[in-house]
């Protein structure tokens, strides 16, 4: 199993821009990228492909907003967003991956997991929802499980949306004040700041144990929500093949989206 991350030795990403893109520029670029996604979905359907996109990250990092823009103009028949809740008693007593398998993409489907089996690498050990043996079993077996998915023909992409502690605090406070966003708050979100260091340690262990050649992790620096959404879409599309691809549109900023590496972590390009 590969432990050396793909992209090792590449130039480290630069600092992300502090100023958001102008609204008109953002809307224009977003529309162009959504058109590219529609082009790819036509190809996916015509060639019976299967695409699985996993989005993980800190609470309030922007997963919901990114997913909303990705699927906004895609065919709902061939597109599914999976966001599983608390497991039932039966699911708790089953093979850990069993509850996720029915949601995997079939031919012609684009499936997005808003959080995934990586709950067992983050929130579950941090909040005490699994024991040490279950945690280690997951870390040992998830690379094998994902290799099986990739070998079966599923295109698997894993993105981690990263923000720093101060930005998370600001976003969580904004949720508390906004009556239209208070539904997003959960007891887990409330505890996020208190367990910041625990989540950092769990994230770093997850990267070290589950970043492989067949299923690498890509980090998205998401302090600027709009820039992060656009470059996540650019990065994903740049790794997909389809007719009519606008290559000039798909140059993602390597300072915003990059393959995980130990070097990037040590250099502080991932929030401590």
């Amino acid at each position: 199993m590969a432990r050396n991350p793909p992209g090792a030795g590449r130039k480290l990403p630069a600092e992300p821009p502090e100023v958001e893109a102008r609204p008109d520029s953002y809307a224009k670029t977003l529309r162009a990228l959504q058109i590219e996604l529609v082009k790819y979905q036509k190809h996916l359907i015509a060639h019976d492909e299967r695409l699985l996109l996993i989005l993980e990250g800190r609470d309030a990092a922007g997963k919901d907003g990114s997913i909303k823009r990705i699927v906004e103009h895609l065919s709902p028949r061939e597109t599914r967003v999976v966001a599983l809740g608390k497991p039932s008693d039966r699911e708790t007593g089953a093979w850990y991956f069993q509850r996720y398998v029915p949601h995997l993409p079939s031919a012609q489907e684009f499936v997005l997991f808003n959080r995934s089996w990586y709950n067992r690498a983050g929130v579950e050990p941090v909040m005490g929802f699994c024991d040490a043996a279950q945690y280690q079993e997951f870390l040992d077996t998830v690379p094998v499980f994902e290799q099986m998915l990739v070998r079966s023909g599923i295109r698997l992409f894993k993105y981690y949306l990263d923000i720093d502690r101060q930005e998370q605090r600001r976003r969580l406070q904004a949720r508390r004040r906004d009556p239209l966003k208070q539904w997003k708050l959960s007891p887990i979100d409330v505890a996020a700041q208190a367990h910041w260091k625990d989540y950092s340690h769990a994230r770093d262990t997850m990267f070290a144990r589950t970043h492989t050649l067949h299923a690498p992790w890509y980090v998205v620096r998401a302090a600027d929500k709009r820039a992060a959404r656009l470059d996540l879409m650019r990065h994903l599309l740049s790794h997909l093949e389809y007719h009519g691809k606008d290559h000039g549109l798909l140059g993602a900023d390597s300072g915003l989206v990059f393959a995980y590496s130990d070097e990037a972590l040590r250099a502080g390009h991932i929030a401590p």
Side-chain angles (χ1 to χ4, degrees):
M1 181 182 302
R3 293 300 183 200
N4 293 324
R10 294 179 182 172
K11 184 179 178 181
L12 285 174
E15 291 296 319
E18 295 182 357
V19 180
E20 290 191 359
R22 290 171 15 201
D24 56 341
S25 175
Y26 168 75
K28 181 179 179 180
T29 305
L30 176 62
R31 175 176 170 79
L33 289 169
Q34 289 174 331
I35 290 172
E36 293 297 301
L37 284 166
V38 171
K39 291 180 188 177
Y40 170 69
Q41 188 170 49
K42 289 181 180 178
H43 171 91
L44 177 147
I45 293 170
H47 294 82
D48 288 338
E49 291 187 2
R50 294 174 288 162
L51 181 65
L52 176 59
L53 177 62
I54 288 177
L55 267 73
E56 296 286 343
R58 299 280 189 177
D59 293 317
K63 295 180 292 295
D64 291 338
S66 296
I67 291 173
K68 178 180 178 181
R69 273 69 178 189
I70 290 171
V71 305
E72 187 172 8
H73 296 289
L74 296 180
S75 167
R77 180 175 297 177
E78 289 86 12
T79 308
R80 289 188 288 115
V81 177
V82 179
L84 300 184
K86 180 181 178 180
S88 66
D89 291 342
R90 182 181 183 279
E91 289 171 331
T92 300
W95 176 47
Y96 179 71
F97 296 103
Q98 190 166 325
R99 70 192 297 246
Y100 295 99
V101 169
H103 301 283
L104 294 173
S106 296
Q108 304 183 8
E109 285 190 329
F110 182 171
V111 174
L112 302 91
F113 276 18
N114 186 351
R115 295 196 180 277
S116 65
W117 43 79
Y118 282 102
N119 279 334
R120 183 140 291 182
V123 64
E124 290 191 19
V126 169
M127 300 304 294
F129 298 153
C130 70
D131 59 34
Q134 292 171 323
Y135 176 55
Q136 291 301 323
E137 172 72 11
F138 172 81
L139 293 174
D140 288 341
T141 58
V142 68
V144 180
F145 175 68
E146 290 177 349
Q147 186 176 39
M148 291 173 62
L149 300 184
V150 173
R151 291 183 65 178
S152 77
I154 291 176
R155 298 294 307 276
L156 173 60
F157 292 88
K158 303 187 301 189
Y159 291 95
Y160 183 91
L161 275 60
D162 189 50
I163 54 176
D164 64 28
R165 192 170 190 171
Q166 292 71 30
E167 180 62 16
Q168 185 190 61
R169 181 185 299 117
R170 186 190 69 78
R171 293 184 186 183
L172 291 175
Q173 289 173 348
R175 285 183 179 182
R176 294 187 186 98
R177 293 192 298 268
D178 189 341
L180 296 179
K181 294 184 178 180
Q182 289 177 1
W183 64 270
K184 292 186 174 184
L185 283 172
S186 70
I188 302 299
D189 296 325
V190 172
Q193 286 276 295
H195 289 279
W196 179 270
K197 291 185 178 179
D198 297 325
Y199 276 114
S200 293
H201 176 71
R203 175 205 62 196
D204 296 348
T205 301
M206 177 189 76
F207 283 152
R209 299 283 297 275
T210 69
H211 178 66
T212 60
L213 289 172
H214 56 267
W217 277 106
Y218 296 104
V219 179
V220 182
R221 302 180 77 179
D224 181 335
K225 287 184 178 181
R226 288 184 166 186
R229 290 168 190 160
L230 297 181
D231 266 24
L232 190 161
M233 294 165 70
R234 286 190 182 104
H235 186 273
L236 174 65
L237 286 161
S238 71
H239 285 76
L240 301 171
E241 295 300 326
Y242 54 93
H243 179 69
K245 188 173 185 177
D246 185 350
H247 293 275
L249 180 66
L250 305 181
D253 184 344
S254 62
L256 290 182
V257 186
F258 52 93
Y260 166 78
S261 71
D262 294 339
E263 186 182 7
L265 183 63
R266 289 193 302 268
H269 294 288
I270 302 173

